[in-house]
C-alpha cells in the first residue's frame, strides 16, 4: 500500500517454485523512515492475512514457515526466504511498512 506522496513498497507480482525448492521473495522499500518496521504477511487461499514477522533487524529465523528474513544494512530491501516450501505454502506474500 502507498502512503500519500510516497510509495512505500514494491514487489514482483508473481513468483513460482516447485515443491521442496527454496525461493526468495524480495521487497523494495527505498523510502523507509527511521521508525518504520518491515512487516511480512502471508495470505493463504480463503483466509485472512497473517503476520509472519515485524522487524528492523538484518536477519531473523522464521521456524514456523521453515524460512528466514533478511534485511539489507540500509533497510532499503528485504528478502523472505522459504527453505522447503510445500503445497501448503502457496499463498500471497505481502511486505509492508508500519509503526
Amino acid at each position: 500500500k502507498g502512503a500519500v506522496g510516497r510509495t512505500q513498497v514494491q514487489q514482483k507480482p508473481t513468483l513460482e517454485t516447485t515443491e521442496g525448492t527454496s525461493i526468495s521473495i524480495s521487497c523494495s522499500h527505498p523510502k523507509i523512515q527511521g521508525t518504520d518496521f518491515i512487516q511480512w504477511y502471508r495470505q493463504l487461499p480463503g483466509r485472512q492475512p497473517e503476520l509472519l514477522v515485524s522487524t528492523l533487524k538484518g536477519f531473523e529465523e522464521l521456524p514456523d514457515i521453515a524460512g528466514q528474513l533478511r534485511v539489507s544494512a540500509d533497510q532499503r530491501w528485504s528478502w523472505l526466504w522459504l527453505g522447503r516450501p510445500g503445497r501448503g505454502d502457496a499463498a500471497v506474500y505481502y511486505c509492508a511498512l508500519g509503526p
Side-chain angles (χ1 to χ4, degrees), residues 11-97:
Q11 293 177 265
K12 290 184 178 180
T14 60
L15 282 175
E16 292 183 8
T17 188
T18 56
E19 193 169 2
T21 302
S22 66
I23 189 171
S24 182
I25 307 167
S26 65
C27 180
S28 169
H29 25 78
K31 297 187 179 181
I32 190 170
Q33 304 295 306
T35 56
D36 286 338
F37 278 76
I38 298 162
Q39 301 167 340
W40 280 83
Y41 294 84
R42 175 172 75 172
Q43 186 172 14
L44 296 165
R47 305 278 295 276
Q48 294 292 320
E50 59 177 323
L51 179 65
L52 296 175
V53 63
S54 179
T55 188
L56 292 169
K57 296 179 182 178
F59 175 80
E60 193 150 337
E61 293 278 1
L62 305 173
D64 289 349
I65 59 168
Q68 300 171 346
L69 177 72
R70 294 182 184 274
V71 179
S72 64
D74 61 7
Q75 294 183 304
R76 296 181 186 276
W77 286 88
S78 61
W79 296 267
L80 181 68
W81 181 83
L82 303 178
R84 299 178 304 277
R87 291 180 185 272
D89 295 307
V92 178
Y93 291 82
Y94 302 93
C95 69
L97 299 178

Side-chain angles (χ1 to χ4, degrees), residues 1-3 6-9 94-97:
K1 304 266 179 172
R6 67 182 179 121
T7 300
Q8 288 190 311
V9 299
Y94 302 93
C95 69
L97 299 178

